[in-house]
Amino acid sequence: MLSAYPDLDAANLPAHVAIIMDGNGRWAKKRLLNRIKGHEQGTEAVRGIVRTCRELSISILTLYAFSTENWQRPKTEVAALMNLLKRFLESELEEMMNKDIRLNAIGEIERLPEDVRQMLQKTMKSTENNNSMLLNLALSYGGRAEIVRMVREISKKAKNGEIDPDSITSSIVSDHLYTRGMQDPDLLIRTSGEIRISNFLLWQVAYSEIFVTDTLWPDFGKDEFVRILKGYQQRERRFGKVEA
Ligand code: IPE
Ligand code: IPE
Ligand code: MG
């Protein structure tokens, strides 16, 4: 199955890869271009990584595309990002159908502009029976906001008597997050060299293997991804236990 990737052990690939796609602005700045050109080029990198993950039979790919904090960027940049997202959904539907990829969004979808939300809902509906890979887009996503939302939902259930506070477990917490039903990321990648989480999947990355690369997101391609996967395969995941 992995004949195209002889360096990789097919039995030890991450089931869930999460990526903080950072550096579009710096990519553009280096070329004296508008930041928006960087976001456009970043979309090409998204296409590439989705294809590679699908080829490798990775089950879940979660991409941090827009954070709750990113709303504070200039209006023109936010509008350009929303427009790009809509165009991406339009242009990728055929490929998602051909490759059996299901699209899902995590985050405050209700804050997205109406046309983008409609496109998103249409894409999620069209791809809902696709099973080979889940492409999870984090849109208006913030880990803290997600946790607040979970606390509110569980508190309401406790108040109604649906949940006994003493029997709340971490799996009940997980079931009230946007990622309910998905396993936690095995591998978290951040491009552009910043060594921080920036409010991404705070609960879910508890035991993810983290790789930070200096490569700017628009330059991130298959070869580097495969190198990171090789690095991942060399790590020993202990989950707090001692070596087996
Ligand atoms: C990532 O690139 C894309 C988003 C956060 C939407 P940036 O736009 O943050 O790029 P830099 O960090 O300014 O280079
Ligand atoms: C994180 O990148 C958010 C996304 C990639 C969507 P930012 O560029 O917003 O993060 P900071 O500001 O460097 O922490
Ligand atoms: Mg950034």
Side-chain angles (χ1 to χ4, degrees):
M1 172 198 77
L2 289 182
S3 50
Y5 304 91
D7 293 348
L8 294 175
D9 170 6
N12 183 24
L13 282 168
H16 184 173
V17 175
I19 308 183
I20 303 175
M21 309 184 290
D22 197 17
N24 294 349
R26 276 163 280 178
W27 183 93
K29 195 175 175 195
K30 259 176 54 180
R31 288 163 179 79
L32 306 177
L33 296 168
N34 186 295
R35 295 177 55 82
I36 291 159
K37 288 279 170 220
H39 296 313
E40 280 172 15
Q41 204 55 41
T43 310
E44 295 306 316
V46 171
R47 289 197 175 96
I49 204 74
V50 170
R51 274 193 199 136
T52 306
C53 284
R54 179 67 188 85
E55 269 174 37
L56 287 164
S57 300
I58 285 169
S59 308
I60 310 179
L61 173 64
T62 300
L63 299 176
Y64 203 7
F66 193 84
S67 74
T68 47
E69 289 73 25
N70 290 151
W71 288 113
Q72 296 165 57
R73 293 190 178 197
K75 271 200 170 69
T76 47
E77 182 170 346
V78 170
L81 283 165
M82 292 300 146
N83 189 33
L84 263 177
L85 169 63
K86 195 173 152 201
R87 274 164 41 201
F88 173 81
L89 294 170
E90 270 160 3
S91 64
E92 297 317 288
L93 181 60
E94 195 181 326
E95 176 147 357
M96 289 191 272
M97 294 312 291
N98 289 339
K99 300 219 169 128
D100 199 32
I101 297 171
R102 178 159 75 89
L103 184 102
N104 181 53
I106 60 171
E108 307 162 330
I109 302 313
E110 61 287 354
R111 284 181 76 181
L112 300 176
E114 179 64 25
D115 58 334
V116 177
R117 202 167 62 228
Q118 274 180 15
M119 191 64 216
L120 198 57
Q121 261 143 8
K122 182 182 153 212
T123 314
M124 290 195 286
K125 183 86 193 127
S126 308
T127 61
E128 71 183 350
N129 295 318
N130 294 352
N131 273 318
S132 298
M133 183 172 114
L134 174 65
L135 172 59
N136 234 354
L137 293 183
L139 298 169
S140 190
Y141 174 86
R144 286 191 168 178
E146 178 182 42
I147 288 170
V148 168
R149 187 174 165 273
M150 170 274 291
V151 170
R152 286 195 182 136
E153 281 184 20
I154 295 182
S155 310
K156 279 183 205 151
K157 290 187 184 171
K159 202 174 161 193
N160 297 337
E162 265 180 79
I163 280 184
D164 167 12
D166 289 327
S167 54
I168 296 171
T169 57
S170 36
S171 87
I172 292 180
V173 169
S174 294
D175 285 346
H176 289 80
L177 298 175
Y178 291 120
T179 48
R180 79 188 69 83
M182 302 172 200
Q183 71 175 82
D184 290 336
D186 303 289
L187 169 62
L188 171 69
I189 301 172
R190 180 166 187 147
T191 57
S192 281
E194 239 79 65
I195 308 173
R196 56 174 172 256
I197 297 289
S198 299
N199 205 12
F200 191 40
L201 303 176
L202 297 179
W203 169 273
Q204 298 89 336
V205 298
Y207 269 105
S208 305
E209 293 298 325
I210 301 179
F211 285 76
V212 174
T213 165
D214 286 332
T215 305
L216 304 173
W217 175 252
D219 293 327
F220 188 81
K222 189 178 195 160
D223 293 348
E224 184 163 17
F225 183 53
V226 171
R227 278 202 298 281
I228 290 176
L229 290 172
K230 261 185 82 177
Y232 168 85
Q233 298 194 323
Q234 281 151 11
R235 295 236 185 133
E236 188 201 341
R237 302 185 75 191
R238 284 193 293 272
F239 302 97
K241 300 170 204 157
V242 289
E243 234 174 297

